Amino acid sequence: MQIIHTISELRNILESQTGIALVPTMGNLHAGHVHLVELARQQAQCVVVSIFVNPLQFGANEDLENYPRTLDADFEKLEAAGADIAFAPNIKEIYPNFDAATNDLGQTMIISAPPISKELCGASRPGHFDGVATVVMKLFNIVMPQLAVFGKKDFQQLFIIRELVKQFNLPIKIIAGDTVREPSGLAMSSRNGYLTPEQKAHATMLHACLKEFVESIQQGCGDYTALEQVTAQTLDNSGWLTDYVSVRSARTLLPASKEDKQLVVLAAAKIGNTRLIDNIEFATKANN
Ligand code: PAF
């Protein structure tokens, strides 16, 4: 595996390659990322994995400074997973107009994600999906892959990236990787590393609550708003600070109506200072 830090070096190498897949990451890799790399490996001749902690997608009071940076361990995992190239640029390489010391964007051009990006995670993380769309567009333009792999755990992100590709007519196939979970059901996340052992045990409740939510719908409960409120309350009563619990159309990500049969229930909640997200996509069996 080659480790590359600059765009020019990467472009030189990729010039002679066909069948390129990109797996964008922010590093601190876990089994969920490895699964995405393996999916890419099955479908492409050349697998590029980017590792870049994107300052544009972090809010002022978020964990940009503390976000775990574990490059050497990441490179080892990528090598073992069969990646061909690890692309780990610095901030100036990606955002030459951005002043990392003062967080001043200067003349940086940013993509404005569609209105759905202001809901769910976007409601409490203003600008987050503009930052994601911008860096992903840049990475697409740098690598020019035929396909790119993203995880379903970040369901809203995946939705917005699919829109990015559709609306900017990018010739890139987006592949979605299933969420990888701990045996306890907890979704793998780089932010799980912030949890104490007690918090980690308690964090399994998020997925359990979403499973109950889905079961209630499958058993015929058609009052989605009440279910959302009860689930958020259950989490809050157990010490979480719930951001949202919301059932949406999996196709449009708009609030689910009775006509929608392909649904996704999504949640974000804080345990201590750590914000976790999870979701379950499902087809309604019930005639609600
Ligand atoms: O999902 C992530 O790790 C990031 O949001 C991404 C897609 C790499 C963009 O920075």
mmCIF file of all heavy atoms in Angstrom, residues 96-121:
data_model
loop_
_atom_site.group_PDB
_atom_site.id
_atom_site.type_symbol
_atom_site.label_atom_id
_atom_site.label_comp_id
_atom_site.label_asym_id
_atom_site.label_seq_id
_atom_site.Cartn_x
_atom_site.Cartn_y
_atom_site.Cartn_z
ATOM 1 N N PRO A 96 -6.588 25.398 0.593
ATOM 2 C CA PRO A 96 -5.482 26.375 0.593
ATOM 3 C C PRO A 96 -5.909 27.750 1.106
ATOM 4 O O PRO A 96 -5.060 28.508 1.569
ATOM 5 C CB PRO A 96 -5.072 26.445 -0.880
ATOM 6 C CG PRO A 96 -5.890 25.476 -1.616
ATOM 7 C CD PRO A 96 -6.883 24.840 -0.722
ATOM 8 N N ASN A 97 -7.197 28.055 1.059
ATOM 9 C CA ASN A 97 -7.655 29.388 1.490
ATOM 10 C C ASN A 97 -8.102 29.429 2.943
ATOM 11 O O ASN A 97 -8.583 30.461 3.408
ATOM 12 C CB ASN A 97 -8.825 29.851 0.614
ATOM 13 C CG ASN A 97 -8.409 29.967 -0.831
ATOM 14 O OD1 ASN A 97 -7.382 30.553 -1.129
ATOM 15 N ND2 ASN A 97 -9.184 29.382 -1.719
ATOM 16 N N PHE A 98 -8.003 28.313 3.635
ATOM 17 C CA PHE A 98 -8.528 28.204 4.999
ATOM 18 C C PHE A 98 -7.397 28.415 5.998
ATOM 19 O O PHE A 98 -6.314 27.857 5.856
ATOM 20 C CB PHE A 98 -9.143 26.807 5.170
ATOM 21 C CG PHE A 98 -9.662 26.509 6.539
ATOM 22 C CD1 PHE A 98 -10.773 27.182 7.048
ATOM 23 C CD2 PHE A 98 -9.069 25.526 7.329
ATOM 24 C CE1 PHE A 98 -11.269 26.891 8.310
ATOM 25 C CE2 PHE A 98 -9.562 25.221 8.589
ATOM 26 C CZ PHE A 98 -10.665 25.910 9.075
ATOM 27 N N ASP A 99 -7.672 29.241 7.007
ATOM 28 C CA ASP A 99 -6.677 29.480 8.047
ATOM 29 C C ASP A 99 -7.044 28.636 9.267
ATOM 30 O O ASP A 99 -7.951 28.980 10.031
ATOM 31 C CB ASP A 99 -6.674 30.981 8.408
ATOM 32 C CG ASP A 99 -5.583 31.303 9.415
ATOM 33 O OD1 ASP A 99 -5.049 30.367 10.045
ATOM 34 O OD2 ASP A 99 -5.262 32.500 9.561
ATOM 35 N N ALA A 100 -6.346 27.507 9.413
ATOM 36 C CA ALA A 100 -6.695 26.551 10.469
ATOM 37 C C ALA A 100 -6.481 27.149 11.856
ATOM 38 O O ALA A 100 -7.190 26.796 12.808
ATOM 39 C CB ALA A 100 -5.879 25.278 10.316
ATOM 40 N N ALA A 101 -5.536 28.081 11.980
ATOM 41 C CA ALA A 101 -5.240 28.658 13.304
ATOM 42 C C ALA A 101 -6.411 29.496 13.805
ATOM 43 O O ALA A 101 -6.731 29.475 15.001
ATOM 44 C CB ALA A 101 -3.969 29.492 13.226
ATOM 45 N N THR A 102 -7.052 30.222 12.890
ATOM 46 C CA THR A 102 -8.149 31.104 13.317
ATOM 47 C C THR A 102 -9.523 30.577 12.897
ATOM 48 O O THR A 102 -10.549 31.175 13.199
ATOM 49 C CB THR A 102 -7.975 32.507 12.702
ATOM 50 O OG1 THR A 102 -7.971 32.339 11.268
ATOM 51 C CG2 THR A 102 -6.708 33.181 13.143
ATOM 52 N N ASN A 103 -9.503 29.454 12.172
ATOM 53 C CA ASN A 103 -10.750 28.888 11.651
ATOM 54 C C ASN A 103 -11.431 29.813 10.641
ATOM 55 O O ASN A 103 -12.641 29.744 10.457
ATOM 56 C CB ASN A 103 -11.731 28.601 12.784
ATOM 57 C CG ASN A 103 -12.021 27.123 12.865
ATOM 58 O OD1 ASN A 103 -11.435 26.337 12.128
ATOM 59 N ND2 ASN A 103 -12.932 26.757 13.747
ATOM 60 N N ASP A 104 -10.641 30.672 10.018
ATOM 61 C CA ASP A 104 -11.187 31.626 9.054
ATOM 62 C C ASP A 104 -11.200 30.967 7.665
ATOM 63 O O ASP A 104 -10.161 30.529 7.167
ATOM 64 C CB ASP A 104 -10.308 32.887 9.063
ATOM 65 C CG ASP A 104 -10.858 33.967 8.145
ATOM 66 O OD1 ASP A 104 -11.890 33.713 7.481
ATOM 67 O OD2 ASP A 104 -10.250 35.052 8.094
ATOM 68 N N LEU A 105 -12.375 30.925 7.066
ATOM 69 C CA LEU A 105 -12.521 30.256 5.768
ATOM 70 C C LEU A 105 -11.885 31.032 4.631
ATOM 71 O O LEU A 105 -11.624 30.476 3.567
ATOM 72 C CB LEU A 105 -14.006 30.075 5.448
ATOM 73 C CG LEU A 105 -14.735 29.020 6.271
ATOM 74 C CD1 LEU A 105 -16.234 29.167 6.129
ATOM 75 C CD2 LEU A 105 -14.290 27.637 5.840
ATOM 76 N N GLY A 106 -11.653 32.323 4.844
ATOM 77 C CA GLY A 106 -11.099 33.149 3.766
ATOM 78 C C GLY A 106 -11.982 33.055 2.536
ATOM 79 O O GLY A 106 -13.189 33.202 2.623
ATOM 80 N N GLN A 107 -11.371 32.768 1.398
ATOM 81 C CA GLN A 107 -12.121 32.714 0.128
ATOM 82 C C GLN A 107 -12.537 31.281 -0.226
ATOM 83 O O GLN A 107 -12.780 30.983 -1.402
ATOM 84 C CB GLN A 107 -11.262 33.302 -0.993
ATOM 85 C CG GLN A 107 -10.896 34.755 -0.801
ATOM 86 C CD GLN A 107 -12.126 35.662 -0.860
ATOM 87 O OE1 GLN A 107 -13.056 35.419 -1.618
ATOM 88 N NE2 GLN A 107 -12.128 36.707 -0.032
ATOM 89 N N THR A 108 -12.605 30.407 0.784
ATOM 90 C CA THR A 108 -12.967 29.009 0.506
ATOM 91 C C THR A 108 -14.378 28.906 -0.068
ATOM 92 O O THR A 108 -15.322 29.482 0.487
ATOM 93 C CB THR A 108 -12.884 28.170 1.811
ATOM 94 O OG1 THR A 108 -11.570 28.320 2.353
ATOM 95 C CG2 THR A 108 -13.177 26.704 1.557
ATOM 96 N N MET A 109 -14.530 28.166 -1.151
ATOM 97 C CA MET A 109 -15.849 27.970 -1.765
ATOM 98 C C MET A 109 -16.500 26.748 -1.129
ATOM 99 O O MET A 109 -15.869 25.710 -0.965
ATOM 100 C CB MET A 109 -15.690 27.767 -3.276
ATOM 101 C CG MET A 109 -17.005 27.780 -4.005
ATOM 102 S SD MET A 109 -16.805 27.518 -5.771
ATOM 103 C CE MET A 109 -16.059 29.059 -6.277
ATOM 104 N N ILE A 110 -17.773 26.909 -0.774
ATOM 105 C CA ILE A 110 -18.462 25.835 -0.038
ATOM 106 C C ILE A 110 -19.734 25.442 -0.769
ATOM 107 O O ILE A 110 -20.455 26.309 -1.279
ATOM 108 C CB ILE A 110 -18.783 26.312 1.392
ATOM 109 C CG1 ILE A 110 -17.476 26.486 2.155
ATOM 110 C CG2 ILE A 110 -19.694 25.345 2.129
ATOM 111 C CD1 ILE A 110 -17.635 27.065 3.503
ATOM 112 N N ILE A 111 -20.019 24.171 -0.778
ATOM 113 C CA ILE A 111 -21.266 23.687 -1.399
ATOM 114 C C ILE A 111 -22.406 23.865 -0.408
ATOM 115 O O ILE A 111 -22.259 23.604 0.789
ATOM 116 C CB ILE A 111 -21.114 22.205 -1.794
ATOM 117 C CG1 ILE A 111 -20.157 22.117 -2.982
ATOM 118 C CG2 ILE A 111 -22.472 21.582 -2.124
ATOM 119 C CD1 ILE A 111 -19.951 20.742 -3.512
ATOM 120 N N SER A 112 -23.526 24.341 -0.931
ATOM 121 C CA SER A 112 -24.705 24.494 -0.096
ATOM 122 C C SER A 112 -25.570 23.242 -0.271
ATOM 123 O O SER A 112 -26.151 23.027 -1.329
ATOM 124 C CB SER A 112 -25.447 25.760 -0.536
ATOM 125 O OG SER A 112 -26.623 25.882 0.172
ATOM 126 N N ALA A 113 -25.626 22.422 0.771
ATOM 127 C CA ALA A 113 -26.395 21.169 0.696
ATOM 128 C C ALA A 113 -27.891 21.504 0.672
ATOM 129 O O ALA A 113 -28.300 22.568 1.140
ATOM 130 C CB ALA A 113 -26.040 20.277 1.881
ATOM 131 N N PRO A 114 -28.724 20.607 0.146
ATOM 132 C CA PRO A 114 -30.164 20.913 0.006
ATOM 133 C C PRO A 114 -30.859 21.050 1.365
ATOM 134 O O PRO A 114 -30.299 20.665 2.402
ATOM 135 C CB PRO A 114 -30.696 19.726 -0.792
ATOM 136 C CG PRO A 114 -29.699 18.650 -0.618
ATOM 137 C CD PRO A 114 -28.380 19.294 -0.398
ATOM 138 N N PRO A 115 -32.088 21.621 1.372
ATOM 139 C CA PRO A 115 -32.771 21.924 2.633
ATOM 140 C C PRO A 115 -32.895 20.758 3.615
ATOM 141 O O PRO A 115 -32.883 20.974 4.822
ATOM 142 C CB PRO A 115 -34.163 22.385 2.178
ATOM 143 C CG PRO A 115 -33.941 22.938 0.810
ATOM 144 C CD PRO A 115 -32.840 22.128 0.199
ATOM 145 N N ILE A 116 -32.939 19.543 3.115
ATOM 146 C CA ILE A 116 -33.061 18.387 4.023
ATOM 147 C C ILE A 116 -31.845 18.305 4.960
ATOM 148 O O ILE A 116 -31.900 17.722 6.034
ATOM 149 C CB ILE A 116 -33.224 17.066 3.196
ATOM 150 C CG1 ILE A 116 -33.750 15.926 4.075
ATOM 151 C CG2 ILE A 116 -31.960 16.654 2.503
ATOM 152 C CD1 ILE A 116 -35.168 16.003 4.476
ATOM 153 N N SER A 117 -30.757 18.968 4.536
ATOM 154 C CA SER A 117 -29.545 18.944 5.362
ATOM 155 C C SER A 117 -29.695 19.796 6.630
ATOM 156 O O SER A 117 -28.844 19.765 7.505
ATOM 157 C CB SER A 117 -28.349 19.459 4.550
ATOM 158 O OG SER A 117 -28.493 20.853 4.319
ATOM 159 N N LYS A 118 -30.793 20.579 6.699
ATOM 160 C CA LYS A 118 -31.003 21.411 7.893
ATOM 161 C C LYS A 118 -31.847 20.670 8.924
ATOM 162 O O LYS A 118 -32.107 21.178 10.001
ATOM 163 C CB LYS A 118 -31.719 22.724 7.531
ATOM 164 C CG LYS A 118 -31.139 23.449 6.336
ATOM 165 C CD LYS A 118 -30.226 24.578 6.769
ATOM 166 C CE LYS A 118 -29.645 25.369 5.623
ATOM 167 N NZ LYS A 118 -28.947 24.626 4.570
ATOM 168 N N GLU A 119 -32.326 19.473 8.554
ATOM 169 C CA GLU A 119 -33.151 18.691 9.487
ATOM 170 C C GLU A 119 -32.289 17.614 10.141
ATOM 171 O O GLU A 119 -31.116 17.479 9.845
ATOM 172 C CB GLU A 119 -34.319 18.052 8.723
ATOM 173 C CG GLU A 119 -35.215 19.101 8.070
ATOM 174 C CD GLU A 119 -36.422 18.500 7.360
ATOM 175 O OE1 GLU A 119 -36.843 17.385 7.714
ATOM 176 O OE2 GLU A 119 -36.923 19.160 6.445
ATOM 177 N N LEU A 120 -32.890 16.859 11.051
ATOM 178 C CA LEU A 120 -32.230 15.742 11.736
ATOM 179 C C LEU A 120 -30.880 16.221 12.298
ATOM 180 O O LEU A 120 -30.831 17.189 13.048
ATOM 181 C CB LEU A 120 -32.091 14.544 10.782
ATOM 182 C CG LEU A 120 -33.423 14.042 10.183
ATOM 183 C CD1 LEU A 120 -33.189 13.063 9.039
ATOM 184 C CD2 LEU A 120 -34.291 13.387 11.249
ATOM 185 N N CYS A 121 -29.781 15.600 11.895
ATOM 186 C CA CYS A 121 -28.470 16.023 12.449
ATOM 187 C C CYS A 121 -28.150 17.467 12.098
ATOM 188 O O CYS A 121 -27.500 18.178 12.871
ATOM 189 C CB CYS A 121 -27.357 15.116 11.935
ATOM 190 S SG CYS A 121 -27.318 13.526 12.760
#
